[in-house]
Amino acid sequence: MTTVVQKFGGTSVGNVTKIKRVAERIKRKMDEGKKVVTVVSAMGKSTDKLVELANDITDSPDPREMDMLLTTGEQVTISLVVMALKEMGVDAVSLTGWQAGIETEDVHQDARITDIKAENVQQHLDEGKAVLVAGFQGVSETGDITTLGRGGSDTTAVALAAALKAESCSIYTDVTGVFTADPRYVKNARKLDGISYDEMLELANLGAGVLHPRAVEFAKNYNVSLIVRSSMEDVEGTTVEEEAPMEQNLIVRGLAFEEDVTKITIERLPNQYDTMSNLFSLLAEQGISVDIIIQQMTADHGLNVSFSIDTASLGKALDVLHNNKVNLCYSTIRHESTLAKVSIVGSGMVSNPGVAADMFTVLSDEEVAIKMVSTSEIAVSAVVPEQDMVKAVEALHSFFGLDAKEKAKIEAVKA
């Protein structure tokens, strides 16, 4: 008997009816002769409610106690799913993160998994039980309960699949798979049958919310067959694997985008070897994540440095920079908000020069101003005005042949 791992998010277990539906899926999979491990998130918006409770008590809740509080949400879900399974005559057991052997670094609210000792999970599987594991949580070497941050349940599922050498890991969501772009914004977006780890990792890092980057990274590192599929519809999903077949030789496989980007420009920094190190070390020490960085030499041999951050971090970033003006020796700071980042991703870019030029031409034709640019081997990103984000994405999606109608044309020719 082979083992499969499944993960169901909060919307998939949001009420009793949905919980029973998840239990039915688990039973069907076991009836097929599979050993089944299922990772679940907290029900619906229950985590948000727990956060609200904490904030009603204090403006700065203790991180350790927040982890203790938030992990209760997943424990509610695993116990209810097990109850539903037992009502169906299926032997099952629920396990918290620490009971499942998920060990993490000693960090609260955004811990990374360091090891999984899956003997307990394996024993229950060998006894013929369905195993329900609480996602998003683990235990540190000091014995404290920890949480894995955003997308932590995805990471839990993939890590367990790696530790158990599972046949596959299916991530059940409220969409039918990975799309060429977010279908909520791009009406002609279409589902991909397959995508490579590297492409999915780029899309996830650049704003595509269907999978968390840490989960994709785990899948790539341990060669876990990762499938994104719908929790509501019984349809084929999208397989994330080492080398996905190039669908009709598409150079660009998908687009990602994110709002609430701010560009900060620091003018006339000293042109010294340690300037960049000093600047970005200060920001990193305050937990401020920096994305695109541009450095320019001034006429008087100083440096102008621009970088992008999440707009939510703007206040903290400005405080750090103003408090360290003497040490950094800059002249002025300018910032521009209400920006967005639009990215194209595809492994075909490696062997096809001119893709970036095509992207910029499309944006120019749409009269979209480009504020910043970054590139990698398989991605090109541009920071643009937030009001032009959807227009830019739709134009790029169509230009690179990703619209659903383009696939329909191809399939008609094949037929």
Side-chain angles (χ1 to χ4, degrees), residues 92-403:
V93 63
S94 62
L95 301 175
T96 63
W98 69 266
Q99 288 173 321
I102 299 170
E103 299 181 355
T104 76
E105 59 190 2
D106 193 16
V107 173
H108 288 289
Q109 299 190 294
D110 194 25
R112 289 180 176 270
I113 295 173
T114 56
D115 194 14
I116 293 188
K117 293 182 168 59
E119 293 85 358
N120 191 26
V121 175
Q122 188 64 60
Q123 180 178 336
H124 287 300
L125 289 174
D126 292 342
E127 292 170 357
K129 298 174 185 174
V131 179
L132 271 292
V133 177
F136 178 64
Q137 61 184 254
V139 62
S140 71
E141 61 182 13
T142 59
D144 278 336
I145 291 174
T146 56
T147 59
L148 307 181
R150 189 171 66 87
S153 292
D154 287 357
T155 308
T156 301
V158 177
L160 278 169
L164 295 165
K165 296 181 171 54
E167 176 184 82
S168 64
C169 178
S170 295
I171 306 294
Y172 286 90
T173 71
D174 53 1
V175 294
T176 55
V178 178
F179 281 71
T180 50
D182 190 330
R184 295 172 300 177
Y185 291 85
V186 182
K187 61 182 179 181
N188 286 320
R190 57 185 167 93
K191 181 171 69 70
L192 295 166
D193 295 328
I195 189 169
S196 71
Y197 292 131
D198 288 336
E199 289 170 325
M200 190 66 247
L201 190 55
E202 284 280 7
L203 286 170
N205 277 316
L206 292 169
V210 67
L211 283 174
H212 192 272
R214 211 177 284 180
V216 181
E217 188 176 6
F218 246 112
K220 175 179 171 62
N221 290 343
Y222 294 95
N223 199 29
V224 174
S225 178
L226 189 58
I227 306 165
V228 181
R229 52 183 19 140
S230 171
S231 61
M232 304 299 292
E233 301 177 50
D234 191 14
V235 296
E236 291 294 322
T238 300
T239 301
V240 185
E241 54 196 346
E242 185 59 45
E243 289 189 18
M246 287 292 290
E247 185 178 333
Q248 298 303 319
N249 295 316
L250 287 176
I251 296 172
V252 173
R253 189 68 68 93
L255 280 80
F257 45 94
E258 54 185 333
E259 301 174 288
D260 298 322
V261 174
T262 289
K263 174 186 176 183
I264 295 179
T265 299
I266 306 175
E267 297 182 338
R268 298 189 64 185
L269 285 155
N271 188 6
Q272 298 173 351
Y273 69 90
D274 60 350
T275 294
M276 298 292 277
S277 172
N278 292 338
L279 169 60
F280 291 107
S281 292
L282 283 170
L283 295 170
E285 287 168 5
Q286 296 302 314
I288 299 168
S289 296
V290 174
D291 189 10
I292 301 172
I293 301 172
I294 298 173
Q295 175 183 291
Q296 295 175 312
M297 184 86 71
T298 64
D300 58 355
H301 303 291
L303 290 178
N304 288 347
V305 177
S306 298
F307 55 91
S308 63
I309 60 171
D310 187 296
T311 299
S313 300
L314 176 60
K316 185 188 290 187
L318 292 178
D319 285 345
V320 171
L321 296 172
H322 288 146
N323 291 339
N324 289 275
K325 183 173 183 178
V326 174
N327 294 333
L328 293 173
C329 298
Y330 61 82
S331 172
T332 55
I333 295 176
R334 294 183 289 109
H335 63 86
E336 181 179 4
S337 297
T338 63
L339 300 176
K341 185 171 68 173
V342 174
S343 308
I344 57 173
V345 175
S347 55
M349 293 185 195
V350 176
S351 55
N352 287 275
V355 178
D358 288 338
M359 177 180 182
F360 302 147
T361 298
V362 171
L363 295 179
S364 174
D365 290 344
E366 295 292 326
E367 298 183 347
V368 175
I370 300 172
K371 305 288 185 175
M372 306 178 82
V373 172
S374 70
T375 63
S376 72
E377 281 191 336
I378 63 171
V380 182
S381 300
V383 173
V384 302
E386 197 170 74
Q387 65 187 23
D388 293 330
M389 181 186 76
V390 174
K391 177 174 72 170
V393 170
E394 288 181 336
L396 291 166
H397 194 271
S398 179
F399 177 84
F400 287 108
L402 299 177
D403 285 355

